Amino acid sequence: IELEHLREEQLQKSQKLESVGRLAGGIAHDFNNMLTAINGYSDLVLKRLRADDPIRSNIVEIKKAGERSAALTRQLLAFSRQSVLQLHLLNLNDIISDTSMMLGRLIGEDLRLRIKLDPELGLIKSDQGQLSQVIINLAVNARDAMPDGGVLSITTANIEISSNFTEHHAEMSAGAYVLLTVNDTGVGIEKEHLENIFEPFFTTKVVGKGTGLGLATVYGIVKQSKGYIFVDSKTNQGTTFSIYLPRAADEVEKTKVENGTNKIHIGTETILIVEDEPMVRALTRQMLEECGYNIIEAANGVEALAVCENLKVDINLVLTDIIMPQMGGRELSEHLARIYTNLPVLFTSGYTDDERLRDYIIEKDDNFIAKPFTFDELSGKVRKFLDSNKPIGDE
C-alpha cells in the first residue's frame, strides 16, 4: 500500500510539471518568433551604421536585451522539454573537465571544488551545451547554499539500475546509466520545499537573487535527454543531486565543429522561404537579400507547393519552418522530393512539442538552424549548405 501511494504521488507530481511545462512552452514559442525579429533587425541595423554613429550604442543595448531574453526563452523551452537538442555521443567527463575552470571562478575562493571522474565512464547521447548548463546551474545553486564556505563535489560513475531500484522510483526504467552526482555541504533544503524545487519560478532565495528557473531548466534538460534526476537534502546537512543518463553504445562519432565568423556570406542563388510568421518571414527575406540571394516566399507548405508549380526559375534551396498550419516543413520536404531531384531543404524551428518531430530534427542535424538566429548564423549556414549541395532545379 505504501509503495502504491508513493507511485501515485510521483505520477501526480510528474503530471503537474508536465502541465506547467506545456504552458511555458506555448509562451516561449510565440516569444521566440518575436525575438527572432528583434535580434535579427538589430543585426541588420548595426551592419548599416557607422562605428561612430550616435545611435549605435542604443541598438547594441537593444540587441543585448534581446539576447538575454533569448536565453530566458531557452530555459523555458528546456524545462518544458520542447527545445531542439543537438544530440551527439559524449563523454560526460570531458564536459565536466571543460567546465571546471569556469566553475572555479563561478563559485569563488571560499568554496572548494572536488571532482572525481570515473576513467572508464561510458558514453551518453545528449546536447553538450545543455549538459554544460546543467552543471553550471547546479554549481550556482550549491554556491548560494554555502554562504559561509564549504565543499562542492562532482563525481561520475557507471551504474546498472535494477528492477529493485525502480520499484521505489516508478518513473525510472532498469538498465545501464551514467551517474552524475553534485553534492554540497550547505544549508540544505527544507522538507516542505523539496516537492516544488523543479517548478519554474519557485525559489527560496530573496527577491533579486534568483529567477527560480535554474533547477527547472536542469529538470527539463535531464528529462529531454531521457534521464532522471533525484534530490536528497536535509537542513544544515547539505544537498545531493543525482542525475542518471542512459548509457549509449560505445561507438565513435566525429566531432562537429563550426567556427563563428562575422563574414557576410554572399550568393546569387534562388531560395524559397517557407514561414508562417510574417515578421520572421520578412526578416529572413531581408537578411538573405542583403547577401545577394533571389528570394521567393510562401506562408506554409501548401502555398509553397503551389509556388513551385508556377515558377519559371530553378530553386536552389528551400528554407522552411518545421511547424506551420496546413502543411509543415517535414511534409513539404517529402512532397518536394517527389517533384525535384536532390533539392536541398534547410529546416528551422525554435521549439516543438512533438517528440517525433524532435527526433526528426535530430536526424537532420546538418540541415537545421535554430531560432532565434543571427544574421551571421543564417548567412553562414545557408552558404555552407548550398556549397555542400549541387544546385538542381526543376526536373
Side-chain angles (χ1 to χ4, degrees):
I1 295 175
E2 186 178 339
L3 184 59
E4 194 64 35
H5 179 67
L6 174 64
R7 286 178 173 171
E8 188 177 334
E9 280 188 345
Q10 290 174 343
L11 178 61
Q12 288 175 347
K13 182 180 178 183
S14 176
Q15 289 173 335
K16 179 182 178 182
L17 290 173
E18 194 75 37
S19 62
V20 175
R22 281 196 296 271
L23 173 62
I27 295 170
H29 168 245
D30 293 338
F31 198 41
N32 227 352
N33 278 330
M34 289 186 280
L35 285 172
T36 300
I38 292 168
N39 295 348
Y41 280 116
S42 297
D43 261 344
L44 286 175
V45 173
L46 286 171
K47 287 186 180 298
R48 293 170 182 172
L49 289 177
R50 300 188 317 274
D52 60 347
D53 194 296
I55 69 166
R56 186 178 183 86
S57 60
N58 293 343
I59 305 299
V60 168
E61 290 305 314
I62 291 172
K63 188 180 177 187
K64 284 180 182 177
E67 288 170 345
R68 286 194 295 270
S69 300
L72 180 64
T73 306
R74 285 193 293 272
Q75 285 184 298
L76 284 171
L77 288 172
F79 165 73
S80 60
R81 287 173 267 169
Q82 294 174 12
S83 55
V84 179
L85 301 184
Q86 307 294 296
L87 300 188
H88 301 292
L89 286 171
L90 304 169
N91 187 316
L92 187 56
N93 288 349
D94 294 339
I95 299 172
I96 294 170
S97 298
D98 290 344
T99 312
S100 61
M101 188 175 295
M102 183 193 302
L103 291 182
R105 294 193 297 267
L106 195 65
I107 64 177
E109 297 178 357
D110 293 338
L111 302 182
R112 283 177 292 160
L113 178 62
R114 291 179 181 169
I115 297 177
K116 185 177 180 182
L117 307 178
D118 184 342
E120 304 297 324
L121 196 68
L123 299 178
I124 57 174
K125 196 157 193 178
S126 190
D127 183 302
Q128 181 169 344
Q130 296 279 42
L131 284 184
S132 296
Q133 190 67 46
V134 165
I135 295 164
I136 291 168
N137 282 2
L138 290 178
V140 168
N141 205 64
R143 177 199 65 191
D144 294 344
M146 297 183 284
D148 300 320
V151 179
L152 170 62
S153 301
I154 300 175
T155 63
T156 60
N158 292 318
I159 190 167
E160 296 285 339
I161 296 300
S162 67
S163 55
N164 290 335
F165 185 85
T166 60
E167 281 185 6
H168 297 278
H169 299 84
E171 74 276 26
M172 197 171 184
S173 303
Y177 292 84
V178 165
L179 172 61
L180 167 65
T181 305
V182 179
N183 169 265
D184 68 64
T185 57
V187 296
I189 303 169
E190 295 179 14
K191 188 175 181 180
E192 60 267 28
H193 292 152
L194 282 174
E195 292 292 317
N196 308 107
I197 58 169
F198 294 124
E199 294 178 11
F201 307 113
F202 176 84
T203 180
T204 58
K205 299 175 185 177
V206 296
V207 175
K209 292 295 184 180
T211 61
L213 277 173
L215 291 180
T217 302
V218 168
Y219 176 87
I221 293 171
V222 170
K223 288 296 182 181
Q224 198 170 350
S225 299
K226 313 297 184 187
Y228 305 90
I229 182 168
F230 303 102
V231 58
D232 181 42
S233 184
K234 291 182 180 177
T235 307
N236 298 321
Q237 294 184 37
T239 300
T240 300
F241 287 93
S242 301
I243 296 174
Y244 297 82
L245 298 168
R247 223 180 304 166
D250 293 337
E251 54 185 288
V252 178
E253 183 179 82
K254 291 181 181 178
T255 303
K256 301 174 183 176
V257 179
E258 291 196 15
N259 295 320
T261 175
N262 290 321
K263 179 183 176 183
I264 297 179
H265 300 269
I266 303 299
T268 57
E269 292 91 340
T270 297
I271 299 174
L272 171 59
I273 298 172
V274 191
E275 167 64 58
D276 64 302
E277 175 55 54
M279 252 190 327
V280 178
R281 191 169 67 247
L283 168 69
T284 307
R285 176 175 194 138
Q286 196 169 338
M287 282 180 164
L288 293 177
E289 284 181 336
E290 192 90 359
C291 297
Y293 296 105
N294 177 39
I295 302 301
I296 303 162
E297 293 181 29
N300 55 60
V302 173
E303 189 176 311
L305 290 176
V307 167
C308 290
E309 288 178 4
N310 297 318
L311 274 183
K312 303 298 182 184
V313 296
D314 291 342
I315 299 173
N316 303 108
L317 171 69
V318 175
L319 173 61
T320 178
D321 193 9
I322 290 178
I323 301 173
M324 295 179 291
Q326 297 188 54
M327 182 188 293
R330 180 178 183 176
E331 190 180 350
L332 170 63
S333 69
E334 291 168 353
H335 280 284
L336 289 173
R338 293 192 284 268
I339 302 171
Y340 296 92
T341 303
N342 299 324
L343 175 63
V345 179
L346 180 60
F347 296 96
T348 182
S349 183
Y351 99 117
T352 170
D353 57 1
D354 186 322
E355 188 171 354
R356 289 170 299 176
L357 275 180
R358 283 197 295 272
D359 292 340
Y360 180 73
I361 293 168
I362 290 163
E363 291 171 11
K364 299 288 183 183
D365 180 43
D366 290 334
N367 304 34
F368 180 78
I369 181 169
K371 294 179 185 177
F373 44 72
T374 65
F375 182 96
D376 292 330
E377 287 169 346
L378 180 64
S379 69
K381 187 77 174 184
V382 165
R383 187 67 260 162
K384 181 180 177 182
F385 198 55
L386 281 166
D387 289 343
S388 63
N389 292 274
K390 290 183 179 180
I392 297 183
D394 196 337
E395 298 292 315

